[in-house]
Amino acid sequence: MKIKAKSKSGQLEVKVKLSSQDIDFEELDLICRVFVRGFLKPSVYKKSIIEYRGTEGVALKKHLKKLLSKYEFLFIMQQISMAAATVKRSGLHQSRLLLECDNIYINEATKELQFIYLPVTQLQHNPDILTFMKSVSNTVKPMCDNGDFDFVSRFMYFLSSMDVFDPLKIQKYIEQEDSRVTKLTARSETAKSHKALDGITPVPKSKSASGENQQSDIVCSDPTELLEHTASADDREVTSTLLLNEDETALLEDEDSTQLLNEEESTELIHYPTLIRKSTGETILIDKPVFRLGKDKSCVDYVISDNNTVSKSHADIVVRKEHYYVLDLNSTNKTFINKRLLPAQYEVEIFDGDTLMLSNEEFTFSV
């Protein structure tokens, strides 16, 4: 197995070369069709190479050479635990989650990790999750946190007391050490994203007349998720939204819990807001739980066709009951609320009367 990673136009591209005999094509088809936050998404398969795309980042191994605060260390540990738990809950193989610091990537601005799930029948020399968390902890250089140098050694001692991996115990421990970490991850927990896997059935492998498995050049079955090889680098953007099944018409949550509602129930609870576009005076109704804005009419809900500085898929407006959030989708010219720059891939709450800007395109948000 060979892995090559590079950053290009604000996104991360990772190419994994495998033996075609080792690839589980049913799993590959499944993870191509479903996005789970915290995981690099396979976009193209061709000639035994799986190409993954995600937010720009550096290898975790490189980042761990720096001093880490207690908060950052615990945030990294929490994300590793959540990734393994998500894989297990989704019915996938925990042993296929690639646990190598060279091939886990971190956005150094947001500290968000991105993992690779390899749909292979055999993955050699991959450690179990507890062994990996111990090895990562052992390489960390702790930064003094209000006189506390021992937060890493305490965590390692805690891990050594566990016979089997238990993400709930790990979460409880981290919450006792710093509740800010679990509050942050609870709002964007990848465990919520795994619900998108429910009801998705992998496409069976097709057979040739000789009975051999057929391999198509591209196996991702949702055309909106494919990244075209022929597009220029500037036109390639990462789509990072939770995919909902037709039956999952609304995924509404508060900070402490997640509840899946049907269409009739969600209509009663959601109060949809509007945007007023300054340049035209147009009123835009945000009429769905995740409403996308951008210039590509094939994949957005409101098209901004007359402003070339707006990205194809620029930003999402996310509606959860009476709370509203803006999610920048790695746009080229960024997203702002009241002239405040939003970090990519993180939901930021927006309120009645706020000014939203996609690049230099201005809107007034109204409830």
Side-chain angles (χ1 to χ4, degrees), residues 223-243:
T224 65
E225 295 298 317
L226 294 179
L227 297 173
E228 298 177 354
H229 280 294
T230 55
S232 67
D234 291 337
D235 289 334
R236 292 177 179 173
E237 299 180 9
V238 178
T239 298
S240 185
T241 55
L242 174 65
L243 300 183

Side-chain angles (χ1 to χ4, degrees), residues 12-272:
L12 181 68
E13 298 179 0
V14 180
K15 293 183 179 180
V16 182
K17 183 174 178 59
L18 300 162
S19 168
S20 59
Q21 288 81 13
D22 292 336
I23 297 174
D24 184 332
F25 288 98
E26 291 186 358
E27 275 198 354
L28 178 58
D29 176 76
L30 175 61
I31 64 177
C32 276
R33 290 187 286 145
V34 179
F35 172 80
V36 181
R37 185 168 185 168
F39 289 77
L40 290 170
K41 183 173 179 62
S43 57
V44 175
Y45 168 71
K46 188 173 183 179
K47 295 181 180 178
S48 301
I49 294 177
I50 303 176
E51 185 173 321
Y52 293 81
R53 302 287 178 94
T55 308
E56 187 173 21
V58 300
L60 180 59
K61 182 178 181 179
K62 179 180 178 181
H63 184 75
L64 291 178
K65 293 179 181 179
K66 303 178 181 180
L67 293 174
L68 297 191
S69 67
K70 177 181 177 180
Y71 177 86
E72 184 178 350
F73 168 71
L74 293 174
F75 186 41
I76 289 173
M77 291 297 108
Q78 174 79 343
Q79 291 181 81
I80 295 172
S81 175
M82 286 166 57
T86 297
V87 168
K88 184 176 181 179
R89 282 195 297 263
S90 301
L92 301 174
H93 297 81
Q94 210 169 71
S95 62
R96 299 180 184 180
L97 175 64
L98 188 57
L99 296 177
E100 295 177 353
C101 286
D102 284 328
N103 301 305
I104 297 172
Y105 304 91
I106 183 168
N107 182 318
E108 293 194 292
T110 65
K111 312 306 180 186
E112 185 174 11
L113 299 184
Q114 296 178 97
F115 295 84
I116 295 175
Y117 181 85
L118 286 175
V120 294
T121 55
Q122 293 183 353
L123 184 57
Q124 298 179 348
H125 312 301
N126 198 43
D128 65 79
I129 185 66
L130 283 179
T131 300
F132 178 69
M133 294 180 78
K134 290 175 185 177
S135 68
V136 172
S137 301
N138 198 41
T139 64
V140 167
K141 299 175 182 178
M143 180 189 300
C144 181
D145 193 326
N146 294 322
D148 184 1
F149 280 103
D150 300 327
F151 56 87
V152 175
S153 59
R154 286 198 305 272
F155 186 75
M156 292 182 67
Y157 180 78
F158 161 73
L159 288 180
S160 65
S161 69
M162 299 179 66
D163 295 326
V164 294
F165 172 63
D166 188 334
L168 293 179
K169 285 185 178 180
I170 293 173
Q171 180 175 330
K172 185 176 180 180
Y173 175 89
I174 291 175
E175 186 172 11
Q176 291 173 344
E177 287 281 327
D178 193 333
S179 61
R180 295 175 301 167
V181 175
T182 52
K183 285 181 179 178
L184 174 63
T185 54
R187 295 170 63 179
S188 58
E189 187 182 3
T190 53
K192 295 168 185 173
S193 301
H194 92 282
K195 286 185 176 293
L197 291 166
D198 296 341
I200 300 266
T201 303
V203 175
K205 292 176 258 186
S206 60
K207 302 267 185 185
S208 66
S210 63
E212 296 296 323
N213 293 328
Q214 292 292 319
Q215 300 174 20
S216 58
D217 282 348
I218 299 177
V219 298
C220 303
S221 57
D222 184 347
T224 65
E225 295 298 317
L226 294 179
L227 297 173
E228 298 177 354
H229 280 294
T230 55
S232 67
D234 291 337
D235 289 334
R236 292 177 179 173
E237 299 180 9
V238 178
T239 298
S240 185
T241 55
L242 174 65
L243 300 183
L244 300 178
N245 300 332
E246 292 179 357
D247 295 334
E248 293 175 333
T249 54
L251 185 62
L252 305 179
E253 61 176 327
D254 57 29
E255 185 168 304
D256 298 315
S257 63
T258 301
Q259 184 178 10
L260 188 62
L261 301 180
N262 61 35
E263 186 172 3
E264 181 177 348
E265 291 171 327
S266 64
T267 302
E268 295 174 355
L269 294 177
I270 296 178
H271 301 283
Y272 287 114

Side-chain angles (χ1 to χ4, degrees), residues 282-301:
E282 180 182 3
T283 298
I284 306 154
L285 175 63
I286 311 300
D287 59 356
K288 56 194 297 188
V290 180
F291 188 95
R292 179 161 298 179
L293 301 101
K295 67 182 180 184
D296 188 346
K297 63 182 180 181
S298 68
C299 61
V300 302
D301 301 295

